[in-house]
Amino acid sequence: MRGDHQSLALLLFGVFVAVTLAITTWASRKRHGSAEEFYAGGRLFSPMENGFAIAGDYMSAASFLGISGLIALFGYDGLLYSVGFLVAWLVVLFLVAELVRNCGRFTLADVVAARMKERSVRIAAGTSSVTVSVLYLVAQMVGAGSLVALLLGGTNGVAQTWTVIGVGALMVIYVSLGGMRATTWIQIVKAVLLMGGAIALTVLVLVRFHGDFDQLLRTAADRSGHGERFLAPGLKYGGDWTARLDFISLGLALVLGTAGLPHILSRFYTVPTARAARRSVVWSIGLIGGFYLMTIVLGFGAAAIVGSDAVRGSNAAGNTAVPLLALDLGGGPDSTGGTVLFAVVAAIAFATILAVVAGITLASSASVAHDLYASLRRRDAKPRSEVAVARIAAAGVGVVAIGLGLLAQDLNVAFLVGLAFAVAASANLPVLLYSLFWRNFTTRGAVWSVYGGLLPALALVLLSPVVSGGPSSLFPGVDFQYFPLENPGLVSIPLGFLAGWLGTVTSREEADEAKHAETEVRSLTGAGAV
C-alpha cells in the first residue's frame, strides 16, 4: 500500500496547489497595483479573518512537524517549544499589536522611522527584516524536503531537491500575482485544514489510550528508551551547564522573538483599525493555544505509538513524527485507513509549508521594496514602481531561501525557527520597544540597536555547533566552533538592547520630543493612523 498512500498524498498535494493558485488568480483580478492593496490587502479583513490568517502564518512546519518530532525524541524538553511559542503571544497582545497598527503603515520600519531620520533607520530595519524572513523560510524548505523524502521512501534525494525548488517557485507566484489578499486567504484555508487535522489526530491518539493521558505518557516513556528521564527536564538540555544555558537562551528567543517577526507584524496592517488588530490577536491566541496543546498530545503519541527509535530512523531530526503517527493510527502501512490518514496529514503539512512561505516572502519583499528601495529611489519615481520592485524582490528572496534550504536539510525545523526567533528578538524587538516607549531614543540608538542585535546573533550562529564542529552541523567536516550555545539569544538579545541604549546616550542628536508626543498619542489612541 506504500505506493497507494504516496499516490493519494501527491494527488492531495496537487489539489491544494490548484486551489491556492485559483485563489491567487482571483485575488490578482481584484488588485489595482497600489501599495496598500499589495502589502495590506486594502485593510479590508475582519478581526476573525485576520485572526485565522495570523494563526495560519504562525502555525508553520516548525509547529506541526518540528515540535511534535522534538517531543517524540526528547519528551519534556521538547515541550519548551510549545510553551515558548504560545507564551510569546502575550507579549504581542499587550505590548505590540495595537501600538504597531496605530504607528505604522506596512512594515516594522514605519514604526521606528516615525520619529527618526528615515533613510538610515529604514535601511537597518529592512536589512534585519529580510534576514529574519530568510532564516524562517529555510525552516519551511527543510520541512518540505523531509516530508517528500518520507513520502518517497526516504531515499530520493533528487525529488527532495526538486520539491524545495518547487515550493520556492510557488511562493514567488503567490506573492507576485496575488499580494496580501491572496496570501491571507491561503492562510485562512490552511489554518482551517491544519486545525481540523490536528484535532482528528489528537482525538485518535486519546481514543487509542481510552482518554487516559497518564497511560499515554508512561507508554511514551517506556518506548522512548529513556524511561522516566523522558518525562523529566534535562534529556536534551540538562547534560551540563552549556546545555542548561542553551535551554534558557532558546526560551528567551521563543518568548521574545514573535513580537519581532516581520510577517506577523505586517498582519496587523490588514485590518481597518487598531481595535480590530487587538481582536485579531485574541482570535489567533485561541486558535494557536489550542493547536500547541494538541502538539503535546501528538508528540507523546508519536513516541508511544510509533516509538522514538522509529521516528529517529525515519528522520534524525524527528521532522516526520506526525505523518508516521497518522499512518499507524489509521491501521498501518498496509491498511486503507492508514493510507488515507497518512495522505491527508502529509497534504496538510505540505499546505502548511506553502501558506507560511507565502506570508514570509510577502513580508520580506515588502521590506526590500518599501524600506530599502524606497529609501534609495529618486523622489520623482512613480509610487507604483515600489510594487514592481516587491515582485522582483520576492523572486530574489525565493532563490536565496531555496539555496539555504538545500544546505540545511538535516536540521530540525523547529530548531531552525528558534534561530530565526533569536535574530528577530535581538534585532527587531529592542528597536521596536525603544521607539514606542523611550522618549529620548535617537536615530543613532535605533540604528545601533538593530545592527547591535543582528550582527552578534548571526556571528554567534556561524561560530556555534550549528554550523561546524559536530556530526549534525551544517559543515561536519570542519571546525570553527568558538561559541558553545546553539541558540545565541541569551547573548545577542541583551546586546541589542545595550547597543540601542549606548547609541542613544552617545548621540549628539537631540530627541524630537514633539514627534515622540505625536507617536505616543497616535499609538495609544489611533488618532491619525492610516
PDB file of all heavy atoms in Angstrom, residues 69-105:
ATOM      1  N   GLY A  69       8.022  16.355  16.615  1.00  0.00           N
ATOM      2  CA  GLY A  69       9.197  15.497  16.496  1.00  0.00           C
ATOM      3  C   GLY A  69      10.137  15.635  17.668  1.00  0.00           C
ATOM      4  O   GLY A  69      10.672  14.644  18.184  1.00  0.00           O
ATOM      5  N   LEU A  70      10.352  16.866  18.133  1.00  0.00           N
ATOM      6  CA  LEU A  70      11.238  17.079  19.277  1.00  0.00           C
ATOM      7  C   LEU A  70      10.657  16.459  20.542  1.00  0.00           C
ATOM      8  O   LEU A  70      11.382  15.885  21.363  1.00  0.00           O
ATOM      9  CB  LEU A  70      11.480  18.577  19.486  1.00  0.00           C
ATOM     10  CG  LEU A  70      12.438  19.228  18.491  1.00  0.00           C
ATOM     11  CD1 LEU A  70      12.445  20.740  18.676  1.00  0.00           C
ATOM     12  CD2 LEU A  70      13.854  18.682  18.665  1.00  0.00           C
ATOM     13  N   ILE A  71       9.341  16.571  20.733  1.00  0.00           N
ATOM     14  CA  ILE A  71       8.711  15.934  21.899  1.00  0.00           C
ATOM     15  C   ILE A  71       8.831  14.416  21.789  1.00  0.00           C
ATOM     16  O   ILE A  71       9.108  13.730  22.780  1.00  0.00           O
ATOM     17  CB  ILE A  71       7.236  16.361  22.014  1.00  0.00           C
ATOM     18  CG1 ILE A  71       7.151  17.861  22.315  1.00  0.00           C
ATOM     19  CG2 ILE A  71       6.525  15.563  23.108  1.00  0.00           C
ATOM     20  CD1 ILE A  71       5.733  18.414  22.308  1.00  0.00           C
ATOM     21  N   ALA A  72       8.650  13.888  20.589  1.00  0.00           N
ATOM     22  CA  ALA A  72       8.769  12.437  20.401  1.00  0.00           C
ATOM     23  C   ALA A  72      10.179  11.940  20.691  1.00  0.00           C
ATOM     24  O   ALA A  72      10.363  10.813  21.164  1.00  0.00           O
ATOM     25  CB  ALA A  72       8.366  12.072  18.968  1.00  0.00           C
ATOM     26  N   LEU A  73      11.188  12.766  20.436  1.00  0.00           N
ATOM     27  CA  LEU A  73      12.577  12.354  20.649  1.00  0.00           C
ATOM     28  C   LEU A  73      13.089  12.682  22.054  1.00  0.00           C
ATOM     29  O   LEU A  73      13.858  11.908  22.623  1.00  0.00           O
ATOM     30  CB  LEU A  73      13.485  13.026  19.617  1.00  0.00           C
ATOM     31  CG  LEU A  73      13.264  12.661  18.150  1.00  0.00           C
ATOM     32  CD1 LEU A  73      14.262  13.393  17.276  1.00  0.00           C
ATOM     33  CD2 LEU A  73      13.369  11.160  17.934  1.00  0.00           C
ATOM     34  N   PHE A  74      12.652  13.832  22.597  1.00  0.00           N
ATOM     35  CA  PHE A  74      13.243  14.308  23.853  1.00  0.00           C
ATOM     36  C   PHE A  74      12.233  14.533  24.971  1.00  0.00           C
ATOM     37  O   PHE A  74      12.598  15.027  26.039  1.00  0.00           O
ATOM     38  CB  PHE A  74      14.020  15.613  23.601  1.00  0.00           C
ATOM     39  CG  PHE A  74      15.119  15.460  22.596  1.00  0.00           C
ATOM     40  CD1 PHE A  74      14.995  16.008  21.328  1.00  0.00           C
ATOM     41  CD2 PHE A  74      16.272  14.755  22.902  1.00  0.00           C
ATOM     42  CE1 PHE A  74      16.000  15.867  20.386  1.00  0.00           C
ATOM     43  CE2 PHE A  74      17.283  14.609  21.960  1.00  0.00           C
ATOM     44  CZ  PHE A  74      17.147  15.156  20.706  1.00  0.00           C
ATOM     45  N   GLY A  75      10.972  14.225  24.751  1.00  0.00           N
ATOM     46  CA  GLY A  75       9.987  14.292  25.821  1.00  0.00           C
ATOM     47  C   GLY A  75       9.793  15.687  26.377  1.00  0.00           C
ATOM     48  O   GLY A  75       9.500  16.638  25.648  1.00  0.00           O
ATOM     49  N   TYR A  76       9.977  15.805  27.685  1.00  0.00           N
ATOM     50  CA  TYR A  76       9.700  17.063  28.393  1.00  0.00           C
ATOM     51  C   TYR A  76      10.444  18.246  27.777  1.00  0.00           C
ATOM     52  O   TYR A  76       9.882  19.332  27.646  1.00  0.00           O
ATOM     53  CB  TYR A  76      10.093  16.906  29.863  1.00  0.00           C
ATOM     54  CG  TYR A  76       9.795  18.101  30.730  1.00  0.00           C
ATOM     55  CD1 TYR A  76       8.617  18.167  31.468  1.00  0.00           C
ATOM     56  CD2 TYR A  76      10.680  19.169  30.810  1.00  0.00           C
ATOM     57  CE1 TYR A  76       8.337  19.265  32.266  1.00  0.00           C
ATOM     58  CE2 TYR A  76      10.405  20.272  31.602  1.00  0.00           C
ATOM     59  CZ  TYR A  76       9.235  20.316  32.324  1.00  0.00           C
ATOM     60  OH  TYR A  76       8.959  21.417  33.108  1.00  0.00           O
ATOM     61  N   ASP A  77      11.703  18.064  27.417  1.00  0.00           N
ATOM     62  CA  ASP A  77      12.489  19.184  26.885  1.00  0.00           C
ATOM     63  C   ASP A  77      11.915  19.721  25.579  1.00  0.00           C
ATOM     64  O   ASP A  77      12.088  20.898  25.256  1.00  0.00           O
ATOM     65  CB  ASP A  77      13.947  18.770  26.688  1.00  0.00           C
ATOM     66  CG  ASP A  77      14.726  18.814  27.994  1.00  0.00           C
ATOM     67  OD1 ASP A  77      14.096  19.012  29.048  1.00  0.00           O
ATOM     68  OD2 ASP A  77      15.956  18.646  27.964  1.00  0.00           O
ATOM     69  N   GLY A  78      11.246  18.860  24.821  1.00  0.00           N
ATOM     70  CA  GLY A  78      10.612  19.326  23.590  1.00  0.00           C
ATOM     71  C   GLY A  78       9.421  20.238  23.848  1.00  0.00           C
ATOM     72  O   GLY A  78       9.027  21.018  22.981  1.00  0.00           O
ATOM     73  N   LEU A  79       8.849  20.147  25.080  1.00  0.00           N
ATOM     74  CA  LEU A  79       7.699  20.986  25.428  1.00  0.00           C
ATOM     75  C   LEU A  79       8.041  22.468  25.432  1.00  0.00           C
ATOM     76  O   LEU A  79       7.157  23.313  25.319  1.00  0.00           O
ATOM     77  CB  LEU A  79       7.165  20.606  26.820  1.00  0.00           C
ATOM     78  CG  LEU A  79       6.421  19.280  26.953  1.00  0.00           C
ATOM     79  CD1 LEU A  79       6.081  19.024  28.404  1.00  0.00           C
ATOM     80  CD2 LEU A  79       5.163  19.302  26.115  1.00  0.00           C
ATOM     81  N   LEU A  80       9.318  22.790  25.609  1.00  0.00           N
ATOM     82  CA  LEU A  80       9.716  24.196  25.667  1.00  0.00           C
ATOM     83  C   LEU A  80       9.260  24.945  24.429  1.00  0.00           C
ATOM     84  O   LEU A  80       8.850  26.104  24.498  1.00  0.00           O
ATOM     85  CB  LEU A  80      11.242  24.311  25.812  1.00  0.00           C
ATOM     86  CG  LEU A  80      11.794  25.736  25.760  1.00  0.00           C
ATOM     87  CD1 LEU A  80      11.310  26.536  26.961  1.00  0.00           C
ATOM     88  CD2 LEU A  80      13.305  25.743  25.707  1.00  0.00           C
ATOM     89  N   TYR A  81       9.314  24.292  23.283  1.00  0.00           N
ATOM     90  CA  TYR A  81       8.907  24.956  22.048  1.00  0.00           C
ATOM     91  C   TYR A  81       7.417  25.273  22.073  1.00  0.00           C
ATOM     92  O   TYR A  81       6.998  26.388  21.731  1.00  0.00           O
ATOM     93  CB  TYR A  81       9.247  24.079  20.848  1.00  0.00           C
ATOM     94  CG  TYR A  81      10.712  24.062  20.505  1.00  0.00           C
ATOM     95  CD1 TYR A  81      11.580  23.155  21.099  1.00  0.00           C
ATOM     96  CD2 TYR A  81      11.230  24.955  19.577  1.00  0.00           C
ATOM     97  CE1 TYR A  81      12.928  23.137  20.784  1.00  0.00           C
ATOM     98  CE2 TYR A  81      12.579  24.951  19.251  1.00  0.00           C
ATOM     99  CZ  TYR A  81      13.422  24.039  19.858  1.00  0.00           C
ATOM    100  OH  TYR A  81      14.757  24.037  19.548  1.00  0.00           O
ATOM    101  N   SER A  82       6.587  24.322  22.488  1.00  0.00           N
ATOM    102  CA  SER A  82       5.145  24.567  22.556  1.00  0.00           C
ATOM    103  C   SER A  82       4.828  25.692  23.522  1.00  0.00           C
ATOM    104  O   SER A  82       4.052  26.609  23.212  1.00  0.00           O
ATOM    105  CB  SER A  82       4.414  23.295  23.003  1.00  0.00           C
ATOM    106  OG  SER A  82       4.444  22.315  21.998  1.00  0.00           O
ATOM    107  N   VAL A  83       5.430  25.645  24.710  1.00  0.00           N
ATOM    108  CA  VAL A  83       5.173  26.667  25.723  1.00  0.00           C
ATOM    109  C   VAL A  83       5.695  28.029  25.265  1.00  0.00           C
ATOM    110  O   VAL A  83       5.007  29.050  25.373  1.00  0.00           O
ATOM    111  CB  VAL A  83       5.818  26.268  27.070  1.00  0.00           C
ATOM    112  CG1 VAL A  83       5.675  27.394  28.086  1.00  0.00           C
ATOM    113  CG2 VAL A  83       5.189  24.987  27.600  1.00  0.00           C
ATOM    114  N   GLY A  84       6.920  28.052  24.729  1.00  0.00           N
ATOM    115  CA  GLY A  84       7.523  29.317  24.297  1.00  0.00           C
ATOM    116  C   GLY A  84       6.752  29.974  23.181  1.00  0.00           C
ATOM    117  O   GLY A  84       6.483  31.189  23.219  1.00  0.00           O
ATOM    118  N   PHE A  85       6.358  29.195  22.169  1.00  0.00           N
ATOM    119  CA  PHE A  85       5.609  29.755  21.043  1.00  0.00           C
ATOM    120  C   PHE A  85       4.274  30.344  21.509  1.00  0.00           C
ATOM    121  O   PHE A  85       3.813  31.350  20.969  1.00  0.00           O
ATOM    122  CB  PHE A  85       5.354  28.683  19.988  1.00  0.00           C
ATOM    123  CG  PHE A  85       6.539  28.388  19.115  1.00  0.00           C
ATOM    124  CD1 PHE A  85       6.803  27.091  18.693  1.00  0.00           C
ATOM    125  CD2 PHE A  85       7.383  29.391  18.695  1.00  0.00           C
ATOM    126  CE1 PHE A  85       7.893  26.805  17.876  1.00  0.00           C
ATOM    127  CE2 PHE A  85       8.469  29.129  17.873  1.00  0.00           C
ATOM    128  CZ  PHE A  85       8.720  27.830  17.470  1.00  0.00           C
ATOM    129  N   LEU A  86       3.643  29.714  22.499  1.00  0.00           N
ATOM    130  CA  LEU A  86       2.338  30.181  22.968  1.00  0.00           C
ATOM    131  C   LEU A  86       2.461  31.395  23.880  1.00  0.00           C
ATOM    132  O   LEU A  86       1.755  32.398  23.711  1.00  0.00           O
ATOM    133  CB  LEU A  86       1.622  29.046  23.704  1.00  0.00           C
ATOM    134  CG  LEU A  86       0.229  29.375  24.253  1.00  0.00           C
ATOM    135  CD1 LEU A  86      -0.676  29.910  23.147  1.00  0.00           C
ATOM    136  CD2 LEU A  86      -0.391  28.140  24.891  1.00  0.00           C
ATOM    137  N   VAL A  87       3.372  31.344  24.850  1.00  0.00           N
ATOM    138  CA  VAL A  87       3.538  32.459  25.788  1.00  0.00           C
ATOM    139  C   VAL A  87       3.948  33.738  25.039  1.00  0.00           C
ATOM    140  O   VAL A  87       3.605  34.855  25.450  1.00  0.00           O
ATOM    141  CB  VAL A  87       4.586  32.102  26.866  1.00  0.00           C
ATOM    142  CG1 VAL A  87       4.927  33.315  27.723  1.00  0.00           C
ATOM    143  CG2 VAL A  87       4.061  30.978  27.751  1.00  0.00           C
ATOM    144  N   ALA A  88       4.661  33.572  23.935  1.00  0.00           N
ATOM    145  CA  ALA A  88       5.103  34.740  23.161  1.00  0.00           C
ATOM    146  C   ALA A  88       3.945  35.634  22.755  1.00  0.00           C
ATOM    147  O   ALA A  88       4.115  36.856  22.598  1.00  0.00           O
ATOM    148  CB  ALA A  88       5.856  34.271  21.920  1.00  0.00           C
ATOM    149  N   TRP A  89       2.765  35.062  22.594  1.00  0.00           N
ATOM    150  CA  TRP A  89       1.631  35.870  22.128  1.00  0.00           C
ATOM    151  C   TRP A  89       1.130  36.839  23.179  1.00  0.00           C
ATOM    152  O   TRP A  89       0.456  37.813  22.854  1.00  0.00           O
ATOM    153  CB  TRP A  89       0.504  34.955  21.632  1.00  0.00           C
ATOM    154  CG  TRP A  89       0.781  34.552  20.239  1.00  0.00           C
ATOM    155  CD1 TRP A  89       1.364  33.400  19.809  1.00  0.00           C
ATOM    156  CD2 TRP A  89       0.587  35.353  19.070  1.00  0.00           C
ATOM    157  NE1 TRP A  89       1.531  33.436  18.445  1.00  0.00           N
ATOM    158  CE2 TRP A  89       1.061  34.605  17.966  1.00  0.00           C
ATOM    159  CE3 TRP A  89       0.065  36.614  18.851  1.00  0.00           C
ATOM    160  CZ2 TRP A  89       1.012  35.104  16.673  1.00  0.00           C
ATOM    161  CZ3 TRP A  89       0.012  37.098  17.560  1.00  0.00           C
ATOM    162  CH2 TRP A  89       0.482  36.348  16.494  1.00  0.00           C
ATOM    163  N   LEU A  90       1.441  36.582  24.454  1.00  0.00           N
ATOM    164  CA  LEU A  90       1.083  37.560  25.489  1.00  0.00           C
ATOM    165  C   LEU A  90       1.878  38.847  25.298  1.00  0.00           C
ATOM    166  O   LEU A  90       1.370  39.946  25.500  1.00  0.00           O
ATOM    167  CB  LEU A  90       1.338  36.965  26.874  1.00  0.00           C
ATOM    168  CG  LEU A  90       0.509  35.722  27.220  1.00  0.00           C
ATOM    169  CD1 LEU A  90       0.880  35.207  28.601  1.00  0.00           C
ATOM    170  CD2 LEU A  90      -0.984  36.036  27.146  1.00  0.00           C
ATOM    171  N   VAL A  91       3.167  38.701  24.905  1.00  0.00           N
ATOM    172  CA  VAL A  91       3.986  39.878  24.604  1.00  0.00           C
ATOM    173  C   VAL A  91       3.392  40.638  23.426  1.00  0.00           C
ATOM    174  O   VAL A  91       3.274  41.874  23.440  1.00  0.00           O
ATOM    175  CB  VAL A  91       5.444  39.460  24.300  1.00  0.00           C
ATOM    176  CG1 VAL A  91       6.296  40.684  23.958  1.00  0.00           C
ATOM    177  CG2 VAL A  91       6.044  38.701  25.474  1.00  0.00           C
ATOM    178  N   VAL A  92       3.000  39.906  22.404  1.00  0.00           N
ATOM    179  CA  VAL A  92       2.413  40.534  21.215  1.00  0.00           C
ATOM    180  C   VAL A  92       1.120  41.267  21.569  1.00  0.00           C
ATOM    181  O   VAL A  92       0.893  42.412  21.175  1.00  0.00           O
ATOM    182  CB  VAL A  92       2.144  39.478  20.124  1.00  0.00           C
ATOM    183  CG1 VAL A  92       1.447  40.119  18.922  1.00  0.00           C
ATOM    184  CG2 VAL A  92       3.440  38.821  19.682  1.00  0.00           C
ATOM    185  N   LEU A  93       0.265  40.617  22.361  1.00  0.00           N
ATOM    186  CA  LEU A  93      -1.043  41.180  22.685  1.00  0.00           C
ATOM    187  C   LEU A  93      -0.926  42.455  23.511  1.00  0.00           C
ATOM    188  O   LEU A  93      -1.561  43.475  23.219  1.00  0.00           O
ATOM    189  CB  LEU A  93      -1.879  40.149  23.436  1.00  0.00           C
ATOM    190  CG  LEU A  93      -3.270  40.608  23.914  1.00  0.00           C
ATOM    191  CD1 LEU A  93      -4.146  40.987  22.734  1.00  0.00           C
ATOM    192  CD2 LEU A  93      -3.944  39.522  24.740  1.00  0.00           C
ATOM    193  N   PHE A  94      -0.092  42.418  24.547  1.00  0.00           N
ATOM    194  CA  PHE A  94      -0.064  43.530  25.493  1.00  0.00           C
ATOM    195  C   PHE A  94       0.912  44.647  25.113  1.00  0.00           C
ATOM    196  O   PHE A  94       0.743  45.791  25.539  1.00  0.00           O
ATOM    197  CB  PHE A  94       0.272  43.009  26.891  1.00  0.00           C
ATOM    198  CG  PHE A  94      -0.817  42.166  27.490  1.00  0.00           C
ATOM    199  CD1 PHE A  94      -0.618  40.829  27.760  1.00  0.00           C
ATOM    200  CD2 PHE A  94      -2.063  42.715  27.763  1.00  0.00           C
ATOM    201  CE1 PHE A  94      -1.631  40.048  28.295  1.00  0.00           C
ATOM    202  CE2 PHE A  94      -3.088  41.936  28.299  1.00  0.00           C
ATOM    203  CZ  PHE A  94      -2.876  40.602  28.568  1.00  0.00           C
ATOM    204  N   LEU A  95       1.936  44.353  24.333  1.00  0.00           N
ATOM    205  CA  LEU A  95       2.954  45.355  24.066  1.00  0.00           C
ATOM    206  C   LEU A  95       3.011  45.838  22.617  1.00  0.00           C
ATOM    207  O   LEU A  95       3.513  46.929  22.359  1.00  0.00           O
ATOM    208  CB  LEU A  95       4.344  44.814  24.445  1.00  0.00           C
ATOM    209  CG  LEU A  95       4.654  44.653  25.929  1.00  0.00           C
ATOM    210  CD1 LEU A  95       6.063  44.109  26.121  1.00  0.00           C
ATOM    211  CD2 LEU A  95       4.502  45.979  26.664  1.00  0.00           C
ATOM    212  N   VAL A  96       2.531  45.043  21.681  1.00  0.00           N
ATOM    213  CA  VAL A  96       2.863  45.323  20.287  1.00  0.00           C
ATOM    214  C   VAL A  96       1.658  45.573  19.387  1.00  0.00           C
ATOM    215  O   VAL A  96       1.610  46.576  18.667  1.00  0.00           O
ATOM    216  CB  VAL A  96       3.713  44.157  19.709  1.00  0.00           C
ATOM    217  CG1 VAL A  96       3.901  44.324  18.225  1.00  0.00           C
ATOM    218  CG2 VAL A  96       5.061  44.102  20.416  1.00  0.00           C
ATOM    219  N   ALA A  97       0.674  44.675  19.399  1.00  0.00           N
ATOM    220  CA  ALA A  97      -0.336  44.625  18.329  1.00  0.00           C
ATOM    221  C   ALA A  97      -1.001  45.964  18.055  1.00  0.00           C
ATOM    222  O   ALA A  97      -0.940  46.495  16.940  1.00  0.00           O
ATOM    223  CB  ALA A  97      -1.386  43.568  18.671  1.00  0.00           C
ATOM    224  N   GLU A  98      -1.664  46.525  19.054  1.00  0.00           N
ATOM    225  CA  GLU A  98      -2.422  47.753  18.824  1.00  0.00           C
ATOM    226  C   GLU A  98      -1.517  48.945  18.533  1.00  0.00           C
ATOM    227  O   GLU A  98      -1.808  49.774  17.662  1.00  0.00           O
ATOM    228  CB  GLU A  98      -3.283  48.039  20.062  1.00  0.00           C
ATOM    229  CG  GLU A  98      -4.272  49.160  19.859  1.00  0.00           C
ATOM    230  CD  GLU A  98      -5.248  49.265  21.010  1.00  0.00           C
ATOM    231  OE1 GLU A  98      -5.330  48.321  21.821  1.00  0.00           O
ATOM    232  OE2 GLU A  98      -5.925  50.309  21.105  1.00  0.00           O
ATOM    233  N   LEU A  99      -0.387  49.041  19.232  1.00  0.00           N
ATOM    234  CA  LEU A  99       0.515  50.168  19.051  1.00  0.00           C
ATOM    235  C   LEU A  99       1.141  50.156  17.655  1.00  0.00           C
ATOM    236  O   LEU A  99       1.272  51.198  17.007  1.00  0.00           O
ATOM    237  CB  LEU A  99       1.613  50.149  20.116  1.00  0.00           C
ATOM    238  CG  LEU A  99       1.150  50.118  21.580  1.00  0.00           C
ATOM    239  CD1 LEU A  99       2.345  50.160  22.520  1.00  0.00           C
ATOM    240  CD2 LEU A  99       0.209  51.274  21.867  1.00  0.00           C
ATOM    241  N   VAL A 100       1.545  48.976  17.193  1.00  0.00           N
ATOM    242  CA  VAL A 100       2.146  48.861  15.864  1.00  0.00           C
ATOM    243  C   VAL A 100       1.124  49.215  14.786  1.00  0.00           C
ATOM    244  O   VAL A 100       1.436  49.911  13.813  1.00  0.00           O
ATOM    245  CB  VAL A 100       2.697  47.436  15.660  1.00  0.00           C
ATOM    246  CG1 VAL A 100       2.997  47.174  14.182  1.00  0.00           C
ATOM    247  CG2 VAL A 100       3.972  47.244  16.483  1.00  0.00           C
ATOM    248  N   ARG A 101      -0.106  48.758  14.972  1.00  0.00           N
ATOM    249  CA  ARG A 101      -1.148  49.071  13.981  1.00  0.00           C
ATOM    250  C   ARG A 101      -1.390  50.578  13.881  1.00  0.00           C
ATOM    251  O   ARG A 101      -1.611  51.129  12.806  1.00  0.00           O
ATOM    252  CB  ARG A 101      -2.461  48.352  14.357  1.00  0.00           C
ATOM    253  CG  ARG A 101      -3.665  48.722  13.486  1.00  0.00           C
ATOM    254  CD  ARG A 101      -3.418  48.360  12.043  1.00  0.00           C
ATOM    255  NE  ARG A 101      -4.461  48.828  11.151  1.00  0.00           N
ATOM    256  CZ  ARG A 101      -4.562  50.054  10.667  1.00  0.00           C
ATOM    257  NH1 ARG A 101      -3.671  50.974  11.004  1.00  0.00           N
ATOM    258  NH2 ARG A 101      -5.535  50.376   9.835  1.00  0.00           N
ATOM    259  N   ASN A 102      -1.315  51.267  15.008  1.00  0.00           N
ATOM    260  CA  ASN A 102      -1.564  52.707  15.008  1.00  0.00           C
ATOM    261  C   ASN A 102      -0.405  53.506  14.423  1.00  0.00           C
ATOM    262  O   ASN A 102      -0.605  54.539  13.789  1.00  0.00           O
ATOM    263  CB  ASN A 102      -1.821  53.192  16.440  1.00  0.00           C
ATOM    264  CG  ASN A 102      -3.207  52.830  16.927  1.00  0.00           C
ATOM    265  OD1 ASN A 102      -4.109  52.606  16.136  1.00  0.00           O
ATOM    266  ND2 ASN A 102      -3.383  52.770  18.235  1.00  0.00           N
ATOM    267  N   CYS A 103       0.836  53.034  14.675  1.00  0.00           N
ATOM    268  CA  CYS A 103       2.015  53.834  14.323  1.00  0.00           C
ATOM    269  C   CYS A 103       2.543  53.566  12.923  1.00  0.00           C
ATOM    270  O   CYS A 103       3.214  54.410  12.344  1.00  0.00           O
ATOM    271  CB  CYS A 103       3.151  53.569  15.316  1.00  0.00           C
ATOM    272  SG  CYS A 103       2.829  54.285  16.930  1.00  0.00           S
ATOM    273  N   GLY A 104       2.309  52.393  12.387  1.00  0.00           N
ATOM    274  CA  GLY A 104       2.933  52.020  11.123  1.00  0.00           C
ATOM    275  C   GLY A 104       1.982  52.051   9.949  1.00  0.00           C
ATOM    276  O   GLY A 104       0.811  52.401  10.062  1.00  0.00           O
ATOM    277  N   ARG A 105       2.541  51.675   8.818  1.00  0.00           N
ATOM    278  CA  ARG A 105       1.744  51.628   7.590  1.00  0.00           C
ATOM    279  C   ARG A 105       1.807  50.248   6.953  1.00  0.00           C
ATOM    280  O   ARG A 105       0.793  49.631   6.685  1.00  0.00           O
ATOM    281  CB  ARG A 105       2.244  52.686   6.613  1.00  0.00           C
ATOM    282  CG  ARG A 105       1.333  52.874   5.422  1.00  0.00           C
ATOM    283  CD  ARG A 105       1.693  54.106   4.613  1.00  0.00           C
ATOM    284  NE  ARG A 105       0.858  54.186   3.415  1.00  0.00           N
ATOM    285  CZ  ARG A 105       1.326  54.429   2.209  1.00  0.00           C
ATOM    286  NH1 ARG A 105       2.621  54.602   2.018  1.00  0.00           N
ATOM    287  NH2 ARG A 105       0.513  54.493   1.180  1.00  0.00           N
TER     288      ARG A 105
END
